[in-house]
Amino acid sequence: MRDFSNQDVLNWQAFLQIKAQESKDSRLTNFYDASTYHEEIKLKDIDFVALDFETTGLDANQNSIISIGLVPFTLQRIACRQAKHWFITPEDKLQEDSIIIHGITHSDLKGAPDLLRILEQLLDELAGKIVVVHYRRIERDFFDAALRSLINEGIVFPVIDTMQIEADIQQARPKKFIDWFRTPRTESIRLANSRSRYNLPTYPPHDALTDAIATAELLQAQIHHHFSPDTPIKKLWL
């Protein structure tokens, strides 16, 4: 079992209590009131929810969310029947180069709600669970920026980032003798490449719901191979 502990982890329970008192939007207040787990809770006792966004670009201040996928899971099972997927009307224009990547077209977004219409339902799905993402700069930053634009109040919550876990695992690998004489090849930590190291199946990329399921499976594999079900959440959340 590897130890990637962070001694400077935020006290998320206390922080969310403060956010609940400060928030002026009732939907966010309810979200923060649901709080989170104590930092010593074991991974095997946690309800997770994998979250994935597809966006019109990579800049949270210039681009916007166009698709959201999520799926609840535990270390033992993934609750696919409880999965959710939404198309979202973007705040900016859908660009041709982003369509090539995620395959979401104007016809897909015709009649799609804006983020505010599904915000309460989305927050209810996340409340009280540990959110799991692959590259937190997308889900956490885009969600925060979108709400600052729509309701003049951002959002913050603890996450487990499977990309960060994979980066830490790669960095912690012992060097081979030959690596002292050459620069070792850097392993990709993108979602598909990370999954391949655990012999997980290949899924079509850039679909929010599929990527959420893929992220849930990846965390299960990472914990199985590098941690323990008894690992406390404070070792992994950010």
Side-chain angles (χ1 to χ4, degrees), residues 69-160:
L70 63 83
V71 61
F73 72 104
T74 64
L75 293 191
Q76 292 75 40
R77 65 185 294 269
I78 297 174
C80 290
R81 289 187 178 181
Q82 298 173 36
K84 299 288 189 299
H85 179 248
W86 299 271
F87 287 121
I88 303 295
T89 299
E91 294 183 71
D92 64 325
K93 291 183 179 180
L94 194 59
Q95 301 296 328
E96 198 68 34
D97 53 353
S98 69
I99 293 175
I100 293 172
I101 294 173
H102 50 61
I104 297 172
T105 65
H106 293 282
S107 61
D108 292 320
L109 300 178
K110 187 176 181 180
D114 61 22
L115 182 59
L116 279 183
R117 277 181 54 194
I118 67 154
L119 180 59
E120 187 169 8
Q121 184 182 3
L122 174 58
L123 291 176
D124 285 347
E125 295 289 341
L126 303 180
K129 298 184 175 71
I130 298 298
V131 177
V132 181
V133 301
H134 193 79
Y135 189 45
R136 62 190 179 277
R137 292 288 302 275
I138 296 295
E139 283 73 25
R140 199 148 65 177
D141 288 9
F142 269 81
F143 204 0
D144 180 66
L147 292 190
R148 288 183 186 280
S149 172
L150 293 168
I151 63 174
N152 202 32
E153 184 175 347
I155 187 171
V156 63
F157 47 90
V159 299
I160 290 178

